[in-house]
Amino acid sequence: YSRRIVSYTIGRSASTHLVKMALIRAYSTRKPKKGLIIHTDGGAQYDSWSMRREYLKRQIRHSISRPGTPTDNPLIESFFSRLKEEFLNVHFFRSETELFERLAAHIDFYNDQRIHEDLDGQSPAEFEQKVVLAKSPV
């Protein structure tokens, strides 16, 4: 709801292990109620037996994009488009370590400072803070 990147993992290839680690980290950070829906593309790493067990264990409903339809998940597609435009296409990295460190800094910037028109000119962190304050009893 806020466009915040809650969790991510980085590796040389997309694997079930990476996906599972990101899911576990996101789940422990957010502690969602039952009924969470996770939406992914149709990659094998998201639909493996190991991930299906993880979804069942956490009572998560898995929704999969239809083939060739990036519009099924426009928020993350927008994030990746911006990541390529604002980060990957403008930097040269001397090592994987440098890439990982600078990517972490970029995601922190994205979450804490980058404004979004769809969030009334606020960063994801600002937007979430206002939602929390709005829900708090006075």
Side-chain angles (χ1 to χ4, degrees), residues 13-30:
S13 63
S15 69
T16 296
H17 176 73
L18 284 177
V19 172
K20 188 184 285 189
M21 296 313 299
L23 175 68
I24 290 168
R25 190 177 309 139
Y27 198 90
S28 0
T29 299
R30 292 293 196 172

Side-chain angles (χ1 to χ4, degrees), residues 2 4 110-114 119 122-130:
S2 70
R4 183 181 208 121
Y110 177 90
N111 282 337
D112 299 333
Q113 297 174 26
R114 189 179 187 289
L119 301 177
Q122 300 169 89
S123 71
E126 291 171 319
F127 183 81
E128 286 187 2
Q129 184 62 30
K130 287 187 179 175

